[in-house]
Amino acid sequence: MNEFMRQQRHGNIHVLRIANPPVNTLRTDVRAGLAEGLKAAAGAKAVLIIGDGRMFSAGAEMTEFGKPRVPPSLPEVFAAIAEFPGIVVAAIHGSALGGGLELALACHARVAAPGAMLGLPEVKRGFVPGAGGTQRLPRLIGAEAAMDIIVTGEPVSAERALALGFVDAVLPGDLEAEALAWTRGALEANRRFTLAANRVDRIAGQDMASFEAKAASLLKRTRGQESPRGCVEAVRAAVTLPLEQGLQKERELFAALVAGEQSKALRHIFFGEREVLRVPGLPADVKPLPVARAVVIGAGTMGGGIAMSFANHGIPVTVVERDAGALEKGIARCRANWQRTVDTGRLAAAEMERRAALLKGSTDIGIVADTDLVIEAVFEDIEVKKALFADLDRLARPGIVLASNTSTLDIDAIASATRRPELVVGMHFFSPANVMRLLEIVRGKASSAAAIATAMDVGKRIGKLSVVVGNCDGFVGNRMTGKRTPQVEKLLQEGCLPQDIDRVMEAYGMAMGPLATGDLAGLDIGAAVRRARGTVAPIADAVVAAGRFGQKTGKGWYRYDEKRTRLPDPEVERIILDTSEKLQIRRRAISDQEILERLLLPMVNEGARILEEGVAARAIDIDVVFVNGFGWPAWRGGPMFWADAQGLPAVRDKLVHYAVATGDDNLRPTDLIEKLAREGGRFSAAIA
């Protein structure tokens, strides 16, 4: 028996224990161990398959994708399960995901620990389950219930799986002992189990009109994505084809999708979200400072959202506001946000009260003397922030981290107002802070390893994905989107209307185009930034001058009805046409391809500068920022992944073309792009 599979005989039950920590992926050695273990179980009445450590199995080893397959394959293991003369039982704890669940589905029976999670998340990696999951699950619970799990990729609890019918028992207590007892009882009772592959009772007579309606409903939320459609097609095969043909259809869909660009993009982000947690230059032995409680300065939308993030994860937090009325309003907003979640059934009322009890309010900034972390979330003004940090430095306990939620301002300038610059970092949350997953951790020139480790540890504890970035205007995400804005203005001047630009970006996969996003954020905010920087955007400025600030005034780039539905507005078109005429610009038809390139290429070029300067350590850091903080579709992989997919010689040539055509020197290719294009390199392999 190999080291990845342990075995033990308990009377007439043979136990096979998957031992491939930390998540028991089904690498070649594990599959071989399962096949060998089933042979070694000869003479036993039953086999119990269980996982070591924290879970049953997280499924396939994705690092093996694209490499020659070494037998046995999972289908070969499943064939050995079907040929075993006794019963094979899967005992699930922690999680059974992807191929791990497919292994369990191929067994005669499944038992699970309370709270275990079972799912087929392959759709989130850009492909369909490839080892029979789309054929066996419908046979156990029906096609429409199976589609819910397969097309969304969302796992269900053991208790829900029991109710649906693909778990046979939920067993409290020691899972192995209880599973052995359950299996022994099944043998003594001479229970008969029918393999999922041999069942048709749940799919016979499927109402295909109902099936197609369910499929359409699920696919409505997956605009542009290929894998959800593939999942529907595979489940459809389960109810319209014999098993072997259905399995063949599933394998064909898996092979086609896993080789496609969308799956490559999704796997790029999947592995990237793990890679960004390994911070270059951060000593492996550095320890975060202990944080048992936190204080947030500012009870506005951002401050309240940050405070909710702490309370949501069981960390006591106090929000400080100078004005009692503003404080009361901020706390009420937090409660209202929780209440909305309760009203939708996604949060229990008792849990809301537990969270609310962890969030306190105060008008006394002196309470920072008794906390372990302070996060500032006040108005974006450097002098205001420097004055505040000087006060915080004086009042807060020595040795604790002081963090700023600034989205653009200089962390070094803020740190200079303190006597502890080594303990000052940026913790840039994204709005709404209690929902958005991304946390940009900004490392100042004096920020210590301990301060960075503390910010990362806190981010993890409150459910955020932390990406460490350098200190510069706008850091990574805002700096790059800022370089897109001049091209938006130029496209409007040259021939586009707002709906043209947003349509192209939403077709690309963005939840909202840049102009609709501006209306949501408030056009007056962008105008204030332009004034502060001394920049001019004739059309955008004219729209704001007309009192059009966005959704909050019912009109911005669009007009909005009482349901906040955005509608093209003739007044905006008039402003655009008049401005183009005043600027003596002859308007023309602009293709969707040109719109897309002129919006993405400036961000890619700026991303290359960010890599040159070391503001981001790797291209994947940039892509993870955009997918998790800026609504970039994960199945597109991020701006730097997009550039690699285009080929950097083509990116360089298009930048040169648009720099000349638009007169925007900012589009001239960076040295890094020139170098990589010349050498046939890729951002994914470039090191800053």
Side-chain angles (χ1 to χ4, degrees):
M1 184 61 58
N2 68 42
E3 63 181 300
F4 297 98
M5 189 65 56
R6 299 176 190 155
Q7 62 179 324
Q8 189 174 11
R9 185 69 70 96
H10 291 266
N12 58 1
I13 303 174
H14 198 83
V15 176
L16 296 179
R17 183 180 293 278
I18 303 170
N20 181 27
V23 295
N24 292 331
T25 56
L26 300 175
R27 57 183 290 175
T28 301
D29 302 292
V30 171
R31 301 193 303 275
L34 284 165
E36 293 164 10
L38 287 161
K39 288 179 183 176
K45 298 276 189 181
V47 170
L48 181 68
I49 302 176
I50 194 166
D52 212 357
R54 70 185 197 221
M55 67 172 61
F56 180 75
S57 173
E61 178 59 67
M62 284 201 292
T63 58
E64 293 183 348
F65 285 10
K67 298 176 183 176
R69 274 295 193 181
V70 179
S73 66
L74 272 182
E76 288 169 330
V77 172
F78 298 169
I81 290 172
E83 291 163 7
F84 183 74
I87 62 170
V88 181
V89 179
I92 298 164
H93 76 291
S95 301
L97 302 173
L101 180 56
E102 288 178 302
L103 169 60
L105 294 173
C107 295
H108 296 84
R110 290 147 294 282
V111 298
M117 301 301 292
L118 298 84
L120 295 168
E122 286 89 345
V123 67
K124 296 182 179 182
R125 310 288 174 256
F127 45 91
V128 302
T134 66
Q135 306 304 297
R136 289 186 175 89
L137 188 59
R139 284 171 163 78
L140 289 171
I141 66 173
E144 292 177 37
M147 263 200 300
D148 263 332
I149 293 171
I150 296 168
V151 176
T152 66
E154 294 298 326
V156 299
S157 68
E159 292 78 5
R160 177 64 178 153
L162 176 64
L164 286 169
F166 69 104
V167 159
D168 296 272
V170 175
L171 305 175
D174 179 86
L175 179 63
E176 183 170 356
E178 294 297 327
L180 281 167
W182 186 90
T183 304
R184 197 172 291 116
L187 290 171
E188 291 169 355
N190 200 29
R191 282 186 64 179
R192 300 296 178 195
F193 295 92
T194 303
L195 290 168
N198 297 329
R199 286 183 57 177
V200 294
D201 53 296
R202 297 302 300 270
I203 57 173
Q206 170 67 47
D207 178 348
M208 293 310 295
S210 175
F211 178 96
E212 298 301 345
K214 178 71 173 180
S217 173
L218 289 168
L219 292 176
K220 194 182 299 182
R221 314 167 199 166
T222 63
R223 182 185 62 211
Q225 298 176 60
E226 297 167 353
S227 56
R229 298 184 181 282
C231 287
V232 167
E233 194 173 341
V235 176
R236 186 184 290 112
V239 296
T240 58
L241 298 174
L243 176 67
E244 283 307 315
Q245 290 181 33
L247 289 170
Q248 179 60 32
K249 181 65 173 177
E250 179 193 78
R251 284 192 289 271
E252 291 170 359
L253 288 164
F254 172 85
L257 288 167
V258 84
E261 205 65 24
Q262 289 192 11
S263 181
K264 291 176 185 176
L266 286 161
R267 283 179 279 146
H268 169 75
I269 294 299
F270 176 79
F271 288 114
E273 289 180 356
R274 286 140 187 82
E275 182 66 21
V276 297
L277 302 179
R278 292 186 276 271
V279 182
L282 196 66
D285 59 352
V286 65
K287 302 293 185 192
L289 301 173
V291 175
R293 60 186 64 248
V295 167
V296 177
I297 309 296
T301 301
M302 284 304 300
I306 294 168
M308 287 180 70
S309 297
F310 280 87
N312 286 347
H313 291 84
I315 301 175
V317 60
T318 302
V319 179
V320 176
E321 184 62 76
R322 288 184 301 181
D323 178 78
L327 178 64
E328 183 178 346
K329 183 178 178 182
I331 298 289
R333 186 186 301 114
C334 294
R335 285 196 65 91
N337 287 337
W338 277 318
Q339 186 61 54
R340 276 193 294 273
T341 313
V342 170
D343 293 343
T344 61
R346 291 179 290 128
L347 184 70
E351 174 62 14
M352 169 182 163
E353 294 306 326
R354 187 191 71 82
R355 295 179 183 187
L358 291 168
L359 196 162
K360 308 292 185 186
S362 177
T363 55
D364 179 12
I365 196 173
I367 67 161
V368 300
D370 187 33
T371 194
D372 304 315
L373 172 71
V374 181
I375 301 178
E376 162 274 313
V378 301
F379 186 67
E380 282 284 273
D381 181 286
I382 190 67
E383 296 306 322
V384 170
K385 290 184 187 286
K386 286 172 68 175
L388 175 59
F389 269 73
D391 287 341
L392 294 175
D393 183 51
R394 176 174 51 83
L395 295 168
R397 194 173 72 249
I400 73 163
V401 170
L402 306 179
S404 173
N405 177 56
T406 180
S407 57
T408 58
L409 299 178
D410 186 347
I411 290 296
D412 293 332
I414 293 170
S416 72
T418 75
R419 293 164 296 175
R420 61 176 96 186
E422 74 284 357
L423 290 173
V424 176
V425 298
M427 290 181 70
H428 176 210
F429 291 78
F430 287 73
S431 185
N434 55 304
V435 174
M436 295 295 287
R437 190 176 176 217
L438 180 66
L439 175 61
E440 276 185 326
I441 294 175
V442 186
R443 176 163 33 192
K445 65 182 179 184
S447 301
S448 67
I452 297 299
T454 301
M456 290 193 69
D457 180 63
V458 167
K460 180 180 179 181
R461 288 169 61 196
I462 62 174
K464 303 304 181 187
L465 178 63
S466 300
V467 180
V468 176
V469 300
N471 180 36
C472 64
D473 184 14
F475 315 131
V476 169
N478 285 331
R479 174 173 164 178
M480 287 173 64
T481 54
K483 297 301 181 183
R484 178 184 68 187
T485 305
Q487 284 300 315
V488 172
E489 175 73 23
K490 285 178 179 291
L491 285 165
L492 292 170
Q493 293 174 12
E494 294 171 21
C496 289
L497 295 174
Q499 55 268 31
D500 299 323
I501 294 171
D502 285 343
R503 173 180 49 77
V504 168
M505 295 309 293
E506 288 164 11
Y508 179 76
M510 302 294 188
M512 295 177 74
L515 296 159
T517 300
D519 275 357
L520 181 63
L523 301 185
D524 51 329
I525 296 172
V529 171
R530 289 194 296 276
R531 284 194 300 272
R533 294 180 175 176
T535 58
V536 174
I539 291 176
D541 291 341
V543 168
V544 171
R548 308 180 68 98
F549 297 165
Q551 287 193 22
K552 60 189 173 185
T553 57
K555 55 182 183 178
W557 291 109
Y558 301 92
R559 62 184 176 87
Y560 294 86
D561 62 19
E562 62 280 357
K563 295 180 181 178
R564 294 207 170 187
T565 304
R566 73 182 195 230
L567 303 164
D569 194 330
E571 182 185 351
V572 171
E573 182 173 353
R574 181 186 56 75
I575 291 171
I576 291 171
L577 295 177
D578 287 351
T579 305
S580 296
E581 186 176 354
K582 287 175 186 173
L583 295 172
Q584 298 183 335
I585 296 172
R586 176 175 290 182
R587 295 176 66 80
R588 62 184 175 87
I590 301 177
S591 71
D592 288 0
Q593 184 66 21
E594 180 178 342
I595 293 170
L596 183 67
E597 289 174 352
R598 286 177 63 178
L599 295 181
L600 299 192
L601 287 169
M603 292 194 288
V604 169
N605 210 33
E606 194 64 19
R609 289 191 189 94
I610 282 169
L611 290 171
E612 287 173 341
E613 296 167 14
V615 171
R618 300 151 296 206
I620 187 59
D621 294 33
I622 296 172
D623 287 340
V624 167
V625 163
F626 272 87
V627 167
N628 287 279
F630 288 84
W632 199 286
W635 51 275
R636 293 289 193 184
M640 311 314 279
F641 181 90
W642 175 81
D644 277 344
Q646 305 305 301
L648 294 188
V651 167
R652 174 201 56 201
D653 293 347
K654 287 175 181 175
L655 281 166
V656 169
H657 166 73
Y658 288 122
V660 173
T662 68
D664 186 350
D665 281 344
N666 191 56
L667 289 177
R668 297 197 180 280
T670 64
D671 291 343
L672 179 59
I673 288 179
E674 291 280 14
K675 176 177 181 292
L676 292 174
R678 191 167 56 248
E679 297 173 356
R682 296 168 61 86
F683 283 126
S684 58
I687 299 175

